[in-house]
Amino acid sequence: MATRFENGIIVTLGSNSQVLWNGSVVIEGENIVAVGEPSKMRQRFPDAEAIDCSGKIVLPGFICAHHHFYSTMARGMAIPGEPASNFVEILERLWWKVDRALNGEDITLSAQIPLIECIRNGTTTVIDHHASPSMSNGSLDLVEDAVRQAGIRAALCYEVSDRNEKGEGIGENERFIKKTGKGDGQITAMMGLHASFTLSDETLEKCGGIAQDAGVGCHVHVAEDLADREDSLNKYGVPTVHRLDKMGVSGEKSLFAHCIHIDESEMDLIAATKTSVVHNPESNMNNAVGVTPLFGLLRRNILVGLGTDGMSSDMLSQMRSAYLLHRLANRDPRVAFLEAPKLLLENNPKIAERQFGIHLGEIAEGYPADLAIIDYHPPTTLDETNFLGHLIFGLVDAIVDTTVCRGKILMQDKKILTLDEERIAARSREVSPEMWKRLESL
Ligand SMILES: [Zn+2]
């Protein structure tokens, strides 16, 4: 049975992006079957269910290229001891305790809550990086179940780190990669690695080899803090990117998150290996770690995408943070107006295509039916020439009304249809004090 989303402003994006006032998008099964004028679409698809989108703008669903679902229960938590004064202390005092404290039910709830927030924000595809060292084996199945229930798409991996490694993390990635195979368009797998400074040559080489044999990419944090660069230089005599590349971790399907403390030769190597970079501006500002050399990367035609690093599931606000951060950092009000939206709307779909093997991020016949339908009455004219102005200064604060992924309506009239938001949040409030108590004793 087909569905017509009609009377909205359709922004197709893609290589031939068009703005269609009063348009209609028809979907059937998992795909878009037609885009055009509502009267013509009514003629062609008279039996389709009609959903009125007047007063709304219809966009392709957003993609988050770096997320950590597992971080959910840190929200509102008091961190024991003195405030962390640097990035390594943030990891030691917060994240390496949060992940260790998680049990099976926590993993499920910690995934379900950001998945609900993804749907609320029109985010229909996520590349996640999971850690739960007290329960690594089978943890990706729990995350997968939550993703399938929510109805969005996700590329999943488990964070291997020598602070935990007795083989379980590597085994969990290997098991899940084997189980997932080439992926089914909804769930796909990567090899997850924490970062150069917590991984020995032996572990890195082993993981790089498994990923290459399976034809999957590695998803790793790179030079997020100066400590990662200094560790690599001191212990191995080369900067982080060179070390990772030597260990077989870079490549067209691999994702390097952050890449803040890298030099020109590392950028050249990222470009030469066609590795993608994921920029996470809000997280970088939150951790006070520095600013990714965005323009140096883009000048080399490196595919730079945008992620939230677990800070939120809202990609439009992340896009605006990138826009604001790079204008301030460069003290130049001429920059980032084109680049920040490009990371989200052009590059994230290309990164997702490398993982899922499908073309996302465009509303056109034959493409997947992933849509974010947002309440928006443009206060000025809106067309192809000025869409970015509306995106950065208007849509970023507008409310998503309806979210569609794989042809299925996941939220309509702002009501989540696939997960019971109230019950899940209530249960999370119930179990999180126990999780916090376990964490204090770590
Ligand atoms: Zn991260």
Side-chain angles (χ1 to χ4, degrees), residues 179-196:
K179 172 187 160 186
T180 308
K182 294 218 176 310
D184 58 1
Q186 181 172 18
I187 299 285
T188 187
M190 299 185 76
M191 168 57 75
L193 296 161
H194 174 245
S196 168

Side-chain angles (χ1 to χ4, degrees), residues 188-246:
T188 187
M190 299 185 76
M191 168 57 75
L193 296 161
H194 174 245
S196 168
F197 73 103
T198 69
L199 291 160
S200 66
D201 279 355
E202 192 193 345
T203 308
L204 268 178
E205 231 166 354
K206 190 168 180 188
C207 292
I210 292 168
Q212 279 178 4
D213 289 347
V216 302
C218 293
H219 187 179
V220 56
H221 299 96
V222 179
E224 177 172 3
D225 186 70
L226 193 55
D228 196 20
R229 176 178 180 82
E230 285 174 344
D231 179 88
S232 185
L233 284 169
N234 292 339
K235 285 193 197 146
Y236 309 99
V238 287
T240 325
V241 172
H242 290 265
R243 175 172 186 238
L244 292 173
D245 183 60
K246 218 166 81 187

Side-chain angles (χ1 to χ4, degrees), residues 66-68 129 221 224 257-258 309:
H66 182 68
H67 206 318
H68 296 283
H129 202 274
H221 299 96
E224 177 172 3
H258 305 297
D309 203 18

Side-chain angles (χ1 to χ4, degrees), residues 323 327 330-335 337:
Y323 165 80
R327 282 166 97 89
N330 288 281
R331 296 278 191 99
D332 187 347
R334 293 169 300 183
V335 301
F337 183 81

